[in-house]
Amino acid sequence: MPFRPDPKSIAGTDLPVHERTQVLIIGAGPAGLAAALQAASLGRSVILVDENPLSAETMGENVPLHFGGGMTNAVRNRNAMLEAVVESEPAFSEAFDAGIDIRLGTTCWGVYAPGPDVGWLPGPVAGLMDGDRSWMVGAEQIIVAAGRRDMGLSFAGWEKNGVVGITAAVRLAKRYGALQARRAVVLGSSTEALQSALELRDAGVEIAAVIDHVFEPLGSPVLWAQLAAGGTRGLFGYVPREAVGAQESVEAVIASPWRASDSDGAELTIACDTVLLGVGAVPVIELLDSVGCQTVFDGGRGGVVPVLDGAQRTTKVGIFAVGDCAGIWAAKTLDPEIARAEGRRAASQTEQVQAETSGGPTPDFGEYRLRWVQAAVIDSEGAAHVCQCEEVTAHEILEVRPPRYLGWEDLPPASEADPVRRNRRDLHSLLGDSPPHPDQVKRLTRAGMGVCQGRRCREQVAALLALAANVPLESIPAATHRAPVRPMRLNLAALASSESAAMAEHWDTWFGMPSQYVPYWDVPETYTAGERDQDAEVASE
Amino acid sequence: MSLSQSPRGATVAVIGGGATGLSAGWWLAREGVDVVVLDRGIIGWGASGRNGGGCSHHFSPLFVEEQRLWPQMDGLLGYPTEFQAKRIRIAYDEHQLELYGRAVRNAARQGFASTLLDAREVLEMVPLAGEDAVGGYFYDFGGHANPHRTVQAYAWAMQDLGGRVMQHTSVRGFRRAGGRVIGVMTDQGEIECDQVVIAAGPATGRLAAMLDLDVPMVAARAEMIVTEPLPLMPIGGVDGNGLYGRQTLRGNLAYGGGPHEWIEFGEAAGPPSSTPLMANIAGRLARMFPRAAHARIIRSWAGIIENTPDGRPILDKPEATGNVVIATLSSIGFGLSPASGRAICDLVLRGACGFADISSFSLSRFRRLEADWQSLQGWRETVTG
Ligand SMILES: Cc1cc2nc3c(=O)[nH]c(=O)nc-3n(C[C@H](O)[C@H](O)[C@H](O)COP(=O)(O)OP(=O)(O)OC[C@H]3O[C@@H](n4cnc5c(N)ncnc54)[C@H](O)[C@@H]3O)c2cc1C
């Protein structure tokens, strides 16, 4: 008898893709554009998508970067922003001339590929959306060039408008021409932070000070000298205590010496309208991780990065990573040609001939970030929300506190009469012999479970767990990413549904096995596949 | 019952730190038994931490106990489970309405009430529902709980009573003497024990095979989605339109349904993959709750599920092995876990379940099962020869 797949299962179903291309490239920065031009020059069909310009609403929700309300009203004018984004990058016109299909304002919300636990997909596919459509694209090769984002750092007032990720600020200034900041204080002194600060200064922002817990700048001394020459003050050995200002706005930042510093302990107040989060430039691996590409923590490459071969291949067939999302280090930050070369290598699928030199010693970002979290989050003993979406403090994370909607925080101590109101547990009760897992802590505290899906807190949570468990940062497993990597309306996602009439006919709540729901008093004594009821109409329970 | 002397031993070793194994461990610890629960990863990392949280299994011999226990679980465990009683099921066509009626008959026979709702009543009780619902049922039983919190609550409650959890401990085999298991071999060394419970979800069949027990099962992947939080509906346990799920106490809509995929179960490195079926579930959910159609999905995920040929649990202590309890719940194990753990505890300590007739969960019901049953049922093409 020929094999007839279970009609309630997905086996044998083709995923209808709405369009196909040979190469899909996600992200139109230097690496993505270089990949697109290279692929096109090899005669391959290319779709290049980039989510910029973002809608004002999306920016307002700090997606995908920590915009922190730092944009001007200009971002409401979509057409003007589209123009600004196109004009901000000369390579766009080259790409248009090469006939590349460029889709701006188009977001990739998910990448999927077949694997040991997914049999029904024929090959790599990606889900795309723009303002009012969502659809699936099939591709032979998907090159992810999703760039970087800023690590969050919680201190008093960090939820205010005006506390902005430095990458977000550069994006607003250089691609949108819509940055509000006039006078800013930068947190962090890596090469990435210093270079961004210089770019912002070029865009007209006064960089009042750089604050860092280390005693001298972490990154390029040359860049720091350029900033200092322009009057930027260096507050090394300091940490931000609070961003202050009326209501939602920032008027100043208060910095105090960190415990390890030998300064006299005086707090300083620096007037500014913007605090720039530059403590960590983080590779955006959300699509790569969610499709199942293997990742690894590499303190010299900006944190959790995809495992790649010399042609930028991930461990998933057909999926590649280039540019900042493939790893961030100083030389690459200083010279965009490195990212472009990655893009070209991926597009032509050629191995790198010669290993890249890192361009000088690379600091260990793991250690650096641990100290930031120690200094700004733990030592301050403050009650700032590390997870802003779900309003979870560092304290609550380390005590593995159930969320507040369960009404635990105001309750009197446990009594015999009310035993359930206890919480006798903290992180150590989860540990055993192994490092704590951020996903486990998330499940219990909700830190990272909100609308931003940990974009602003995952590095902090990892550092908190490492510090509390007294283990190196790299031993903390990375919290998982899942599609959709951007919040996505149900009715928009529904447009990409593959529910055909045939699927609807067999659609069932659960497995649709009649025998599963026979009440126990009617179950026959033995069961065989041949005698099973195949025709009974069933709705799983 | 003699206590094992080895510090690495326990009277009962439970393999699998999912809802089933942990509940069993907790019930055993309540009886003063020295128990250790072993998991190859983190507890609840399998289906037990990735499911819909539904607790309304009216066709099961454990139903009455499931319903009796859930409202007490927070108090019994001493940690919150977020259990919320009652359930509503909405139909968007007459056919759905008819099929959903079976629960009413099953529950009534066991003393539980339900009410048929007309379209207007659905709208009154379910603020997010659509005008085109044809009706539904209010079940005055069942409900839902938070799987993450519940699994951890079992573990903590068991530890409070002296039970132990060993995470990152993968069982690789058994040591036997005189037909009985006397030790569980793990990658962390041997655990000596007097009795064993295999509650390893989709891995149960493979482990049982090491003891020459044939426990027929195949794994499948199922997917769910969750939205941003919305204002709470009066009853969060609302589903239908081909979906199962709930509004969480935080306000998120967490739903799944539709096609599954039968897979070869291996020890995958990462979490189970999800697929574009997210969009299909979104479409069904937007239809069921038109007033939430603008709510945004913030995450989707997948879980790997254990399934026996008839979809019914196996809770049994086969004679051939004497001191081994097989415990696999066949895709409905979260809601039943308070009761299944108690039944397993009974099987371990007394050889039979004392509070319910679980004869329909015996392994021997498969004694006539065809060798190529997986093929016959269209689950997996079995290669013969
Ligand atoms: C998407 C989805 C929705 C669902 N919805 C519901 C619902 O609404 N209601 C309901 O009741 N059920 C639901 N289920 C089913 C339910 O989740 C499972 O039936 C139940 O969790 C099974 O629990 P378990 O403890 O038996 O197995 P699992 O949760 O699979 O746990 C088994 C454990 O054994 C461990 N293990 C495996 N092999 C070894 C080894 N060699 N050594 C050591 N440890 C090992 C694993 O690591 C795992 O933690 C759903 C499942 C999914 C995936």
Side-chain angles (χ1 to χ4, degrees), chain A residues 10-206:
Chain A
I10 194 74
T13 309
D14 279 331
L15 176 73
V17 292
H18 303 78
E19 55 183 342
R20 279 189 188 284
T21 180
Q22 285 174 310
V23 191
L24 172 69
I25 298 166
I26 299 151
L33 273 161
L37 287 164
Q38 177 77 1
S41 77
L42 295 169
R44 305 172 74 204
S45 62
V46 180
I47 296 177
L48 171 62
V49 301
D50 194 291
E51 63 190 320
N52 293 290
L54 298 153
S55 73
E57 293 71 44
T58 305
M59 279 187 181
E61 291 184 310
N62 294 309
V63 173
L65 299 177
H66 195 131
F67 291 104
M71 51 280 183
T72 63
N73 273 332
V75 299
R76 302 200 170 276
N77 183 339
R78 204 168 161 74
N79 286 337
M81 289 303 106
L82 194 60
E83 222 169 281
V85 166
V86 170
E87 278 168 12
S88 68
E89 173 55 75
F92 271 134
S93 62
E94 205 183 324
F96 281 123
D97 290 347
I100 293 168
D101 183 352
I102 304 178
R103 319 263 180 94
L104 295 178
T106 303
T107 302
C108 177
W109 48 266
V111 171
Y112 302 95
D117 62 352
V118 177
W120 69 287
L121 295 178
V125 290
L128 302 182
M129 64 172 163
D130 59 20
D132 44 36
R133 294 181 311 148
S134 78
W135 69 100
M136 304 303 302
V137 181
E140 289 164 14
Q141 185 184 17
I142 296 181
I143 301 179
V144 180
R148 65 166 74 159
R149 63 176 169 79
D150 303 301
M151 170 177 160
L153 184 75
S154 52
F155 54 90
W158 88 295
E159 68 290 340
K160 282 175 177 293
N161 282 334
V163 178
V164 182
I166 199 162
T167 303
V170 170
R171 170 90 46 96
L172 286 171
K174 295 196 49 173
R175 301 205 88 179
Y176 290 75
L179 178 67
Q180 251 180 14
R182 296 233 169 97
R183 186 176 149 91
V185 169
V186 176
L187 308 183
S189 63
S190 64
T191 296
E192 287 69 36
L194 297 176
Q195 196 208 34
S196 296
L198 283 166
E199 289 184 65
L200 291 168
R201 194 177 73 181
D202 289 347
V205 182
E206 179 188 350

Side-chain angles (χ1 to χ4, degrees), chain A residues 61 390 424 488 527 531, chain B residues 79 250 296-297 368 377:
Chain A
E61 291 184 310
E390 297 291 315
R424 295 150 291 168
M488 187 179 186
Y527 174 88
E531 290 160 353
Chain B
Y79 301 91
R250 173 73 173 91
R296 288 157 325 154
I297 312 170
R368 294 171 50 233
Q377 300 198 162

Side-chain angles (χ1 to χ4, degrees), chain B residues 128 227-233 247 250-253 291-292 295:
Chain B
L128 297 176
T227 70
E228 64 191 320
L230 301 173
L232 290 180
M233 297 191 283
Q247 181 176 39
R250 173 73 173 91
N252 317 76
L253 304 176
R291 291 181 172 82

Side-chain angles (χ1 to χ4, degrees), chain A residues 6 10 61 117 390 405 424-425 444 453 482-483 488 499 525-527 530-531 537 539-540, chain B residues 79 89 95 102 149 160 221 250 260 262 272-273 284 296-297 299-300 365 367-368 370 377:
Chain A
D6 166 13
I10 194 74
E61 291 184 310
D117 62 352
E390 297 291 315
Y405 63 79
R424 295 150 291 168
R425 295 296 176 172
L444 298 170
Q453 286 289 296
R482 290 283 198 178
M488 187 179 186
E499 188 178 331
E525 207 209 314
T526 58
Y527 174 88
E531 290 160 353
E537 278 245 70
S540 296
Chain B
Y79 301 91
R89 208 157 185 214
H95 192 56
R102 185 181 42 198
R149 242 171 263 299
D160 289 342
R221 190 195 65 251
R250 173 73 173 91
H260 49 272
W262 299 104
S273 309
R284 289 261 171 174
R296 288 157 325 154
I297 312 170
R299 197 173 176 87
S300 64
R365 73 184 185 273
R367 61 183 177 268
R368 294 171 50 233
E370 302 87 337
Q377 300 198 162

Side-chain angles (χ1 to χ4, degrees), chain A residues 242-260:
Chain A
E242 190 172 358
V244 291
Q247 282 139 16
E248 295 265 276
S249 69
V250 173
E251 288 161 14
V253 65
I254 301 173
S256 60
W258 188 35
R259 57 170 191 205

Side-chain angles (χ1 to χ4, degrees), chain B residues 69-367:
Chain B
L69 286 169
W70 268 115
Q72 312 174 40
M73 287 308 279
D74 284 13
L76 290 174
L77 294 167
Y79 301 91
T81 62
E82 295 190 24
F83 174 72
Q84 299 289 298
K86 320 281 184 226
R87 192 161 158 223
I88 293 172
R89 208 157 185 214
I90 315 177
Y92 278 85
D93 58 47
E94 292 294 341
H95 192 56
Q96 282 178 352
L97 193 64
E98 187 195 318
L99 292 177
Y100 294 168
R102 185 181 42 198
V104 175
R105 296 186 289 280
N106 285 347
R109 181 174 155 144
Q110 298 171 85
F112 294 89
S114 331
T115 321
L116 177 66
L117 307 174
D118 63 25
R120 186 184 47 82
E121 288 165 326
V122 166
L123 286 177
E124 276 166 19
M125 295 181 81
V126 185
L128 297 176
E131 304 278 347
D132 55 340
V134 299
Y137 293 96
F138 169 70
Y139 302 147
D140 197 8
F141 58 86
H144 58 92
N146 178 328
H148 300 151
R149 242 171 263 299
T150 303
V151 169
Q152 192 64 56
Y154 282 131
W156 280 340
M158 178 183 74
Q159 289 172 328
D160 289 342
L161 296 168
R164 284 169 292 153
V165 178
M166 288 175 67
Q167 300 189 113
H168 304 283
T169 304
S170 185
V171 173
R172 299 287 163 79
F174 300 91
R175 194 153 63 90
R176 287 199 269 182
R180 293 171 69 87
V181 173
I182 57 168
V184 176
M185 314 306 286
T186 80
D187 56 357
Q188 307 294 318
E190 180 178 353
I191 317 284
E192 290 179 10
C193 58
D194 296 338
Q195 303 230 32
V196 178
V197 176
I198 306 181
T204 302
R206 209 168 46 201
L207 287 165
M210 295 176 187
L211 294 168
D212 309 311
L213 288 173
D214 183 15
V215 175
M217 55 195 295
V218 177
R221 190 195 65 251
E223 303 180 35
M224 293 190 72
I225 66 173
V226 64
T227 70
E228 64 191 320
L230 301 173
L232 290 180
M233 297 191 283
I235 293 179
V238 185
D239 54 21
N241 194 33
L243 300 178
Y244 61 90
R246 64 193 176 115
Q247 181 176 39
T248 69
L249 269 186
R250 173 73 173 91
N252 317 76
L253 304 176
Y255 285 86
H260 49 272
E261 182 167 22
W262 299 104
I263 59 166
E264 190 70 56
F265 179 70
E267 299 206 358
S273 309
S274 41
T275 79
L277 285 172
M278 175 193 100
N280 301 29
I281 299 170
R284 289 261 171 174
L285 186 53
R287 168 95 203 276
M288 177 163 72
F289 290 151
R291 291 181 172 82
H294 283 79
R296 288 157 325 154
I297 312 170
I298 58 176
R299 197 173 176 87
S300 64
W301 70 90
I304 305 297
I305 297 159
E306 72 290 349
N307 253 304
T308 66
D310 61 358
R312 303 176 59 81
I314 298 170
L315 292 182
D316 200 356
K317 195 173 193 175
E319 258 168 49
T321 38
N323 63 343
V324 176
V325 171
I326 303 295
T328 181
L329 268 290
S330 200
S331 84
I332 47 171
F334 174 73
L336 290 171
S337 63
S340 66
R342 183 169 175 214
I344 294 163
C345 173
D346 273 9
L347 285 173
V348 169
L349 298 182
R350 292 173 270 277
C353 175
F355 63 91
D357 171 12
I358 60 166
S359 53
S360 61
F361 292 168
S362 75
L363 186 55
S364 65
R365 73 184 185 273
F366 297 122
R367 61 183 177 268

